[in-house]
Structure formats: C-alpha cells, structure tokens
Amino acid sequence: MRRITGIFLAVLLIGGVAAAVVAGRDSGETGTATKTVRMVIGSEKAEFFADPDVVEALAAQGYTVEAETSGSWAMEGLDLEGYDLAFPSSRAPAAELAEKYGVRGMLPRPFYSPLVVVSRRGAAEVLAANGLAELDEEHPGTLRMDAYLEAAERDRTWQQLDGAEQYGELTGTLFISSTDPESSNSGALYLAAASYVANGGKVVASDADLERTAPLMRTLVSVQGAQQSGTDAAFRDFVSGAGNPLVLVYESQVTALLDEQQNADDLVVLYPDTTVNSDHTVVPLTENGRRLADLLGNDPALRKLAVRHGFRPQGDVAEFAAAAVGRTAYLKQRLTGVRQAPVPTSAVLRELARRARG
C-alpha cells in the first residue's frame, strides 16, 4: 500500500458502517491550511483524501480535511450537524441528502467512476468459453450482462460451465459479489443496471416493473449471503485471494491496485456491457463545503490527483485517457461500447434493494 504520511486513522462506529480518516499535514511542516472542513465520504474515496499530495494541494488552497467513511445510502441515517459536506458515490443518495438538509441548486459532481467486475484469469476464461464474457489480451474484457443474468436466473454453478474443472477454486453457484444495496452505492447501482437489462432495456419505474424484476434481484443478492457495506473491504478480500472470484468494484480501485502491484497478470477487468456510472456527488452543507467542492472539480492539481487515483474528471475525457496509457490491458481509456443504463428514482431503487434483501 502507498505509504500514508502525516495522517492518522481513527475508527468511528456509526451504525456499524463508518470509519474515520482524519487528514492532516506532517506535524513537522508548516502549512497554509486555515479552514478545517468536516465531511462524510464513500469508502472508495478514503485513499484519495488520505494521499499526502492531496492533503498538500488542499492545504495550499487553505483547507484541512477531516473525512469519515460511510456507505452512501447509509449517510441519510447519520446526524450531519456540524459537517460541511457529504460526498456519496452517486446522485441518488446525494439528492435525498440535499432534500433532507434543504440544499438548493445544482450539486457539484467533480468526478465519476464506472463499476467493473474484477476476476481471476481462470474464471474470466471460463466465462468467455461459455459465452458470458468476451476477452481481449490487449484490452479489458466485457461482461455480457444478459447472458450473466440468464445464468443467475437458472442458478447455474461453476461446475456446469465448460472448462471450470481445471480450476479447483471454481465451485458452487456462479455469482458476482457486490455490496449491500440498502446501504452502499455500488450495490444499489448494480441492481439499477441489472434491473434495466432484466426489464427489457427499460428503467424500472412502475409496480409492474418491480414485480417483474424483483425476483431476479433477490436471486443476485441472496446467493451472496452476508454483504459488505462498502467496496473497500470486498476489494481487499479479492486482492488477498479470499472470497469469490468475481467482485463488483469501482474502476478507481483497480487503478489504485495497479499503482501498488508490479505484477497484476492474474487480474482480469470486465466492463459490463450495460452499467451505471457512479457520479461522485457533493452535498454542500456550508459555504466552506461548497468552496471545497468547487476546488475538487476545478483546481488543476486536484483534478490531476483525482485521475491518479482512477477517478474520471467531469468534462474532459482526455485527462483520464492520457493517464491510462500503458494500462490499457486493464483500463478503458474511453467508455466506448459500454451502455449506460438510466437509474430509477430513489424511491424505486430503495424498493428494489428492499425486495432484493428480502
């Protein structure tokens, strides 16, 4: 892991889902930071705000950040009195927070990250041999969502797939590990994309749509057993070799892994052919919170650092494309060939999650 200097970590138990990361400068340095901004963020952004270069760039603009992590959908249940901003991982939970706290106007979206499935090479090759994925040695693979959902609906096992017998770890029901859709953004967006495909390429919007798609959503979630409330822990488990061979994570987490590992030959990244981008959206609760949000979206140094952490800045695809040079076996420079599914309303998405969790 990248060395974190000038930072201390504290665990904050808020509903069992939050951990605090307080970012500050090395005590031996003199900084220009004069304003402290308190915020709650999705766990996938913890490394970004803990990066000493990010701490320094914010200090140069006069800010110190205290960041606590939480599942994006769980933020609504937190008491954010005294905080300057909330930074969930998509627009839907941000919109609910904005309504709760009376935040008016357009909510800043400094950067975004598509959801991808990380896989071991053996598992990816078996998926491709059975028509569930497409592989390219020089580029990331593609997960065929319609074929995968059909396999999930039929409760297919790895043992039923041609070639799986070569890999002792490929046993049991075929499924993608995702986070808890009732508390975590990535888990909820997984249901948004899957329900869109299951609903014939239409966003789930009515009771009839819910009745039609909910049983499959229940299958996708129930087979997983206990779920994590954030992608950070699930991705760490995958990297360590534990758990399921297919895990839904943010593209930004893959980028961080490539920074840390010299050899990622066994890693295959599958971009679902139908997905939902995670638009990291700021809910400013104070003027300092809004100013910090503006900095994240507009300051050149912070945009460059966001790219380094794998986030795609809004408004300029060239920034990420340039950073992905040399990593195109794992990262798409541009999201061509990936269909963006519309996201249901917050009320519908919550109902999908509730039914999926049973």
Side-chain angles (χ1 to χ4, degrees):
M1 297 292 291
R2 183 184 299 108
R3 182 178 298 276
I4 301 176
T5 60
I7 296 170
F8 62 90
L9 303 179
V11 175
L12 180 64
L13 301 178
I14 303 179
V17 299
V21 179
V22 181
R25 300 198 59 167
D26 229 352
S27 58
E29 298 179 5
T30 57
T32 59
T34 57
K35 302 180 187 69
T36 297
V37 175
R38 295 185 66 201
M39 61 185 180
V40 59
I41 62 174
S43 63
E44 71 290 331
K45 293 184 283 289
E47 278 199 19
F48 172 75
F49 284 106
D51 184 337
D53 291 336
V54 173
V55 174
E56 184 175 358
L58 289 170
Q61 297 293 333
Y63 292 93
T64 295
V65 164
E66 295 180 359
E68 298 163 13
T69 64
S70 166
S72 293
W73 285 99
M75 290 181 188
E76 189 184 13
L78 304 180
D79 181 3
L80 298 182
E81 183 69 30
Y83 287 79
D84 295 285
L85 63 89
F87 201 174
S89 303
S90 71
R91 283 181 278 185
E96 290 204 349
L97 286 167
E99 182 176 358
K100 178 178 179 180
Y101 290 95
V103 178
R104 305 289 180 233
M106 184 174 295
L107 301 178
R109 292 181 290 125
F111 41 71
Y112 65 98
S113 184
L115 289 164
V116 299
V117 175
V118 289
S119 169
R120 304 295 178 200
R121 182 158 298 279
E125 289 176 351
V126 170
L127 292 180
N130 290 270
L132 279 73
E134 298 172 5
L135 296 184
D136 182 335
E137 290 186 2
E138 297 181 357
H139 298 92
T142 300
L143 178 70
R144 295 183 54 204
M145 282 291 286
D146 56 350
Y148 167 69
L149 293 178
E150 181 182 357
E153 194 167 29
R154 293 165 57 190
D155 292 321
R156 295 190 73 180
T157 64
W158 283 105
Q159 292 94 318
Q160 292 172 328
L161 301 183
D162 293 339
E165 68 277 0
Q166 302 176 52
Y167 306 98
E169 70 275 16
L170 298 182
T171 61
T173 305
L174 169 68
F175 68 91
I176 295 171
S177 290
S178 61
T179 54
D180 179 358
E182 289 192 293
S183 63
S184 172
N185 176 68
S186 61
L189 293 186
Y190 177 44
L191 296 187
S195 64
Y196 177 80
V197 175
N199 200 36
K202 297 185 297 182
V203 65
V204 173
S206 66
D207 289 341
D209 293 338
L210 280 166
E211 291 294 330
R212 186 181 305 113
T213 58
L216 178 54
M217 301 306 103
R218 171 64 176 158
T219 297
L220 296 178
V221 170
S222 62
V223 70
Q224 300 183 45
Q227 292 177 292
Q228 304 277 6
S229 61
T231 55
D232 191 46
F235 189 53
R236 285 200 307 267
D237 287 346
F238 174 83
V239 172
S240 70
N244 195 45
L246 302 173
V247 182
L248 186 80
V249 300
Y250 293 104
E251 179 189 59
S252 56
Q253 292 171 295
V254 175
T255 305
L257 178 65
L258 296 175
D259 280 342
E260 296 157 8
Q261 289 195 358
Q262 296 299 314
N263 186 351
D265 289 345
D266 192 42
L267 172 70
V268 175
V269 181
L270 301 173
Y271 284 74
D273 58 13
T274 302
T275 190
V276 177
N277 281 344
S278 181
D279 284 315
H280 297 271
T281 305
V282 178
V283 183
L285 302 173
T286 67
E287 187 57 35
N288 278 340
R290 183 167 292 279
R291 288 171 182 166
L292 183 65
D294 291 340
L295 280 176
L296 292 172
N298 299 313
D299 181 74
L302 288 167
R303 284 176 68 94
K304 184 175 181 180
L305 288 165
V307 169
R308 192 172 81 184
H309 280 266
F311 299 110
R312 295 175 182 253
Q314 297 284 358
D316 189 349
V317 297
E319 289 177 275
F320 187 88
V325 171
R327 298 175 171 181
T328 53
Y330 305 100
L331 302 173
K332 280 183 173 287
Q333 290 178 291
R334 291 173 172 82
L335 296 175
T336 54
V338 177
R339 185 179 187 182
Q340 289 296 316
V343 179
T345 65
S346 295
V348 170
L349 197 52
R350 281 193 178 277
E351 181 61 16
L352 265 179
R354 187 190 68 79
R355 296 193 188 192
R357 291 286 291 166

